[in-house]
Amino acid sequence: MRGYTASFPRGSAGAGLLLLRLALAAQLLWQGAGAAAAWWQTLLVALLSLMLCAGLLTPVAAALCACYHLMSFDHNGLTGAATAIALVLMGPGAYAADARLFGRRKILM
């Protein structure tokens, strides 16, 4: 996981990524709440939304979110999928659990 995201930006870039994660989680909940036909789909939507809000395993959660959005076959699904893919490529930011767990480490020799 550490080599997967290039950096964990702070400041306005980190705040922007936090906002992006929260917006994607809200869109997933909004779209998934009405579309979930089974209890496991509702559980999946809730779990992915919580992971995105916390920034926990963000690339995995965002990739699953992109798949979920692409299955909806409408323009909101495409927007959500594009947002999720952008989040996969950019990483979670400094204000995420991933930054605490997998952030940069000092190598002392």
Side-chain angles (χ1 to χ4, degrees):
M1 182 75 164
R2 191 174 129 189
Y4 191 73
T5 55
S7 65
F8 298 98
R10 298 175 194 261
S12 61
L17 288 169
L18 172 63
L19 183 62
L20 185 67
R21 288 195 334 260
L22 294 176
L24 185 60
Q27 184 181 14
L28 180 64
L29 279 175
W30 182 264
Q31 182 180 354
W39 65 269
W40 60 269
Q41 287 176 324
T42 305
L43 184 65
L44 177 66
V45 166
L47 181 64
L48 286 176
S49 296
L50 286 174
M51 289 174 69
L52 286 170
C53 286
L56 181 64
L57 299 176
T58 305
V60 174
L64 290 173
C65 184
C67 293
Y68 186 86
H69 278 296
L70 284 174
M71 292 187 321
S72 69
F73 299 115
D74 64 355
H75 76 283
N76 287 332
L78 291 177
T79 303
T83 305
I85 291 169
L87 195 55
V88 169
L89 295 173
M90 290 188 299
Y95 310 113
D98 286 346
R100 284 287 215 191
L101 297 172
F102 307 110
R104 293 185 182 184
R105 305 279 194 261
K106 271 190 176 178
I107 300 174
L108 302 174
M109 293 189 179

